[in-house]
Amino acid sequence: MPPSMSTDWPTRLAARAQGRRTAGLWRRRTVQPTDAVRDFAGNDYLGLARDPRLAEAMAEGARCHGAGARASHLVSGHLAVHEALEARLAALTGRPRALLFSTGYMANLGTLQALCDGETRVFQDRLNHASLLDGAALAGAPSRRFHHGDLADLDRLLARSPADAPRLVVSDGVFSMDGDVADIAGLAETARRHGAWLMVDDAHGLGVLGEVGDGCVGRAHGIDAVPVLVGTLGKALGTAGAFVAGSHELIEHLIQFARPYVYTSAQPPGVAAATLRALELLAAEPERRARLGARIACFRREAATLGLPLAESHTPIQPLVLGESHRVMAWAARLAERGLLVGAIREPTVPRGQARLRITLSAAHTEADLDALLEGLAACQAHDADRQEVTT
Ligand SMILES: *Cc1c(COP(=O)(O)O)cnc(C)c1O
């Protein structure tokens, strides 16, 4: 009997670990110093996470309401600060209502679990976030995956599905490992043609894209086009948590049926207070978004000059697809020696052969930060070119 099929738990764990190690895919956490690194791996696109005004709002929220909410939203944990935040998020995204969740992962699990069952057909972009795939699986709803961004493929899958099944199309707004933006109007049109609903997870668009940082869906695409909108607070807004925005009926449905909403403690009030402050700063300091746009344009211009393998992304997520995972790990290590932190993304997060550095830009980066990054990347490239000469 192979060890992976053993009934002995330590044997099973050892077999799984061995498999991952031999594949060269063992994952490690490193404790990050709070300063002294240039962080090009995080999702703090507007530089709000370390703004002292958010820390102050968080402390004040905790002083007023307590460090924790003490209960779930349906029991006694739903406070005025949560209610105010939900109203602000609904207004930002141009929806009648919004509902807070503790994390984006839970928002997606809860929404899909509450909307879907074994009858429902779910259609997902190939590159959707893991939480969207897990949510449909939790609901016991079969997911069909269409080719990335391919509306014709989606149309074909929808046409082939049984006409009497409720259908839900699900897409990331900004794809988290590629940085490209979904064609929201195209998805909405295709979904509508087949009587399907569209759910968009705009985790990386909220705060960054849109006229006022309302994301790639936001006010431009109302609830008729995108009935189910998910946003997260732990990225551009710099705090933690997430929300679903939509009609009164959708939000009431989630309150009744979304188990990851019902059976968990409410968001700590300090987090809600800090998020309200972040939304104020988003509106009051549009120069953050302008600075981010300038950093993205500058990075792309300079990286193109160096001949780096840039992806077609105009968001703060700028992947360099290097191919083999050992090459990505080597580049990341060499950059780390220079105090530059970038994401090294390998399978199973991205398909095999598409391992990449996931470089993220932020309004908090200075021009000197960007120069250091570009110098580091040029050094990695020169090192690879030297090795090529030695081996050929
Ligand atoms: C980060 C992310 C999530 C999860 O959000 P958390 O609040 O970190 O749990 C969900 N969807 C997408 C597309 C994400 O990038």
Side-chain angles (χ1 to χ4, degrees):
M1 182 167 61
S4 60
M5 293 179 65
S6 166
T7 53
D8 175 58
W9 282 105
T11 309
R12 293 173 68 84
L13 266 54
R16 291 289 300 275
Q18 188 55 37
R20 186 154 267 204
R21 281 211 170 83
T22 354
L25 294 173
W26 193 252
R27 296 168 178 225
R28 283 169 211 288
R29 308 176 305 168
T30 37
V31 177
Q32 304 297 337
T34 40
D35 289 302
V37 286
R38 292 181 152 122
D39 184 359
F40 292 97
N43 305 310
D44 179 25
Y45 305 126
L46 298 176
L48 285 169
R50 304 197 62 192
D51 191 301
R53 291 168 294 180
L54 262 61
E56 191 45 52
M58 192 175 278
E60 185 56 24
R63 272 194 294 272
C64 286
H65 311 286
R70 304 185 302 274
S72 66
H73 283 277
L74 283 172
V75 176
S76 62
H78 190 64
L79 308 174
V81 68
H82 297 126
E83 192 73 11
L85 177 56
E86 288 181 345
R88 286 293 296 269
L89 290 166
L92 175 67
T93 53
R95 262 93 184 136
R97 282 184 71 183
L99 184 72
L100 279 174
F101 280 79
S102 298
T103 72
Y105 191 95
M106 287 170 71
N108 285 336
L109 284 195
T111 303
L112 285 159
Q113 171 261 310
L115 288 177
C116 303
D117 57 27
E119 306 289 290
T120 320
R121 295 293 186 277
V122 181
F123 301 85
Q124 306 221 30
D125 188 289
R126 274 258 159 87
L127 299 188
N128 273 358
H129 192 262
S131 56
L132 294 167
L133 301 171
D134 294 356
L138 177 67
S143 268
R144 304 273 185 287
R145 296 171 81 176
F146 55 94
H147 296 305
H148 177 51
D150 186 341
L151 295 178
D153 193 36
L154 169 62
D155 189 64
R156 195 175 51 80
L157 291 179
L158 281 163
R160 271 211 248 139
S161 69
D164 57 352
R167 284 167 281 186
L168 183 68
V169 175
V170 183
S171 181
D172 278 18
V174 174
F175 289 87
S176 51
M177 296 300 141
D178 292 70
D180 56 331
V181 185
D183 172 2
I184 302 297
L187 286 168
E189 212 283 309
T190 309
R192 187 166 38 216
R193 207 150 10 86
H194 294 275
W197 258 12
L198 174 60
M199 168 176 176
V200 177
D201 172 359
D202 202 16
H204 296 277
L206 193 82
V208 173
L209 302 177
E211 204 62 18
V212 289
D214 49 326
C216 75
V217 174
R219 297 173 190 182
H221 305 278
I223 54 172
D224 291 338
V226 184
V228 189
L229 172 60
V230 177
T232 64
L233 310 175
K235 283 155 185 163
L237 292 174
T239 60
F243 67 96
V244 179
S247 66
H248 288 287
E249 293 74 17
L250 173 72
I251 299 306
E252 284 304 324
H253 181 82
L254 296 178
I255 294 172
Q256 304 308 316
F257 299 112
R259 295 169 66 85
Y261 180 78
V262 176
Y263 296 106
T264 200
S265 299
Q267 185 180 58
V271 175
T275 309
L276 275 170
R277 192 78 181 100
L279 291 172
E280 282 170 20
L281 296 178
L282 176 69
E285 300 178 352
E287 62 274 16
R288 286 175 187 272
R289 298 175 60 228
R291 199 157 57 235
L292 175 61
R295 297 287 179 266
I296 295 169
C298 174
F299 175 78
R300 291 189 63 79
R301 195 170 54 239
E302 298 298 322
T305 309
L306 291 172
L308 290 165
L310 273 180
E312 200 39 60
S313 160
H314 295 272
T315 65
I317 301 168
Q318 292 290 327
L320 292 181
V321 180
L322 299 174
E324 296 308 317
S325 68
H326 64 85
R327 187 165 177 227
V328 166
M329 298 314 280
W331 280 47
R334 201 157 288 124
L335 293 169
E337 283 165 15
R338 295 167 163 257
L340 298 160
L341 190 61
V342 300
I345 311 291
R346 305 173 279 173
E347 63 172 307
T349 308
V350 293
R352 176 177 301 201
Q354 291 187 32
R356 65 196 63 187
L357 293 180
R358 180 177 179 273
I359 293 168
T360 53
L361 301 173
S362 165
H365 291 140
T366 62
E367 280 173 22
D369 290 334
L370 213 53
D371 288 347
L373 172 66
L374 289 157
E375 272 168 34
L377 291 169
C380 290
Q381 211 177 15
H383 183 275
D384 277 13
D386 284 352
R387 274 205 359 187
Q388 199 84 33
E389 257 168 48
V390 173
T391 52
T392 54

